[in-house]
Amino acid sequence: MLRCPAAALRALAVLVTLALPALSGPALAHEGHDDGAGAPPAPAATAPRAEAVSERFELVAVVQGTDLVLYLDAVATNAPVPAASVAVMTPEGRRKAAETAPGTYRLAAPWLATGDDHDFVVGVSAEGRTDLLDLDLHRPAPADAPAAAPSAPGAAAAATATGLADRLARQNPAALAAGGFLLGLGVFALARRRRAGSVLVGLLAVGATLVLALLLGGAAQAHEGHAHEAKAPPVTPAALTGGTLMERARRLPDGSVFVPKSLQRLLVLRTGLTAEASVTRSVELPGRIIPDPNASGVVQSSVGGRLAPPERGFPRLGTRVARGEVLATVTPPVQAVDVSDMRQRQGELDQQIAILERRVGRFERLSTTGAVAQTQLDDARSELGGLRDRRAALDAIRREPESLVAPVDGVIAEANAVAGAMAAPGTVVYRIVDPAKLWVEALSFEALAEGSRATARLGDGGTLQLAYRGTGLADRNQAVPVQFAIAGDGQGLRLGQFVTVLAPVGQARPGLPVARSGVVRAEGGSLVYEHVSAERFMGRPVRVAPLDADRMLVEDGIAAGRRVVVQGAELLDQIR
């Protein structure tokens, strides 16, 4: 046991000195993160940039190292403007930017390093006109170095106290509870002692307990596999890519989406101006592709028999055939009873033919003497010719098959021909369709105006223009069938393919049509993205109704004259 108060105080001072580095050091890593100040992560870095807009063009200038990259787009469509003459008025004089990609121009700009703020004018010449755009480019100053540690004793003590308080606030609650428990034991031992030496021993115990608790609490904050590292210096945009910034899109706190021009080119974002027009409300009808009854047909066997290919073989699917072309033959089967009857009939005909031949020969000899009238000779010859025809027809039944010919010009859409197969009467052997003449049959629950034009939307997003052909009078599943002819090329369509028909109903009224591809389904409704600035898009909730296969009718949520995204809206909505 220590009896000297001075020695005990010196020992306590040594313990506190050992604990000070742990108290004033940086906060340790926690929950899988490296050591740091605990500040929220900085947003994605972007290179210094400026933008300007004119009546026709939208220009964005981005600093990449010592170069100035200019992105030139059309204001209305956001499409790149290629093959334009872009000249920049720089401190070194007028310089022309070189086109590196459609709508992208690059200019060497070493003068950017001479200051942080630059104002310059860009002249864009295209289609015989020149637009002047003013750009105000600001280069942010580099991040300041961390301040040096205070050297004055008072400042050092204040910093140590602040660090101690911050350190205690960051300790593990379990470690602090254990340290407090040990501290309580030390105080209890101190209260039980009455001698001075024992008091000093109690003080030493309290100090050792406090130091041990702080050290254990600090160690408890560092998780397995994480090292204590000093705070990394701030990373500048140029340091990320060696002078060429790799920018990314992100959603801003106000809900808008920031998309750099370089990424807009990859996503192929296109916009359109909203404008009021006279439109008619449409209804969506289920429909399917059917053949034109005047340009399609089937090939059937009228008698049962065995199928056989023609000289050139069976035509395959997709083969174009001409009207009257032989596609297959059917040989009727002959039963044993039928064969016996046919042979008996053939014998009778042969006998009658032989008798008439002798009679005709006798009449011919007698007609020269006038013993037989010429009329009797002619009647005998006619009767002989009829018997010979009947005999030949009986032979043909046994030898010649039935030829199946194409009823119309078109393409083989369905084939069921197999050599040697037995075809029953009425079997469909081929179905022929003209792919340039297809119809759409839809089921409507509302009366459609006669002669109205409609559109159809395919499953892959394609559209078809339809012309009204007629409406049925018999209900089918509580609906009326309506038939439309497909206007234009129907290449790629197949019979029975399902489509969605959008047919107009009601009277025309003013409305705000937008492209169907620009309307995004969101939680609780629909929205469109407005192009509010060169690189920023804002989602606008809207109320829409179907208009046709390509457009939607905006009933509320956005006004006319706004730029909205008409291509790439689904990709834009995925940015977080």
Side-chain angles (χ1 to χ4, degrees), residues 124-138:
V124 179
S125 299
E127 300 177 356
R129 294 173 53 187
T130 300
D131 290 18
L132 298 179
L133 299 98
D134 297 330
L135 292 175
D136 184 6
L137 181 63
H138 174 69

Side-chain angles (χ1 to χ4, degrees), residues 357-552:
E357 286 177 348
R358 289 193 297 269
R359 182 183 301 173
V360 170
R362 186 169 59 252
F363 284 173
E364 288 177 349
R365 290 192 302 270
L366 294 175
S367 63
T368 59
T369 61
V372 176
Q374 184 65 32
T375 56
Q376 291 180 340
L377 177 60
D378 294 340
D379 292 343
R381 288 175 177 175
S382 299
E383 187 177 356
L384 178 60
L387 291 176
R388 287 175 176 174
D389 292 342
R390 291 169 59 186
R391 181 66 175 82
L394 192 61
D395 292 339
I397 292 176
R398 298 184 56 186
R399 295 194 306 266
E400 294 183 2
E402 179 189 8
S403 296
L404 304 183
V405 298
V408 293
D409 298 335
V411 174
I412 300 295
E414 180 183 346
N416 300 312
V418 178
M422 294 298 295
T427 301
V428 177
V429 182
Y430 290 102
R431 187 180 299 275
I432 302 174
V433 175
D434 188 351
K437 298 178 180 180
L438 295 177
W439 285 15
V440 172
E441 184 178 67
L443 297 179
S444 175
F445 296 93
E446 299 185 39
L448 301 181
E450 184 175 352
S452 59
R453 301 188 65 86
T455 56
R457 186 172 68 249
L458 304 176
D460 59 357
T463 59
L464 301 172
Q465 298 297 323
L466 306 179
Y468 178 85
R469 284 295 178 264
T471 302
L473 298 179
D475 285 353
R476 185 186 303 173
N477 297 327
Q478 303 300 319
V480 177
V482 184
Q483 293 183 344
F484 302 88
I486 298 177
D489 187 15
Q491 191 69 26
L493 300 177
R494 64 183 186 275
L495 297 182
Q497 181 178 354
F498 291 104
V499 297
T500 300
V501 177
L502 292 100
V505 294
Q507 301 295 327
R509 59 174 180 170
L512 197 67
V514 297
R516 183 179 290 268
S517 58
V519 180
V520 180
R521 292 190 177 184
E523 183 178 358
S526 303
L527 59 85
V528 296
Y529 279 92
E530 181 184 356
H531 197 184
V532 294
S533 65
E535 297 180 312
R536 197 165 66 91
F537 301 84
M538 178 67 75
R540 306 292 188 189
V542 293
R543 186 174 72 252
V544 296
L547 184 56
D548 54 37
D550 298 320
R551 300 178 300 170
M552 300 286 285

Side-chain angles (χ1 to χ4, degrees), residues 73-92:
D73 295 334
V75 172
T77 63
N78 199 46
V81 180
S85 177
V86 179
V88 182
M89 298 301 298
T90 69
E92 301 175 352

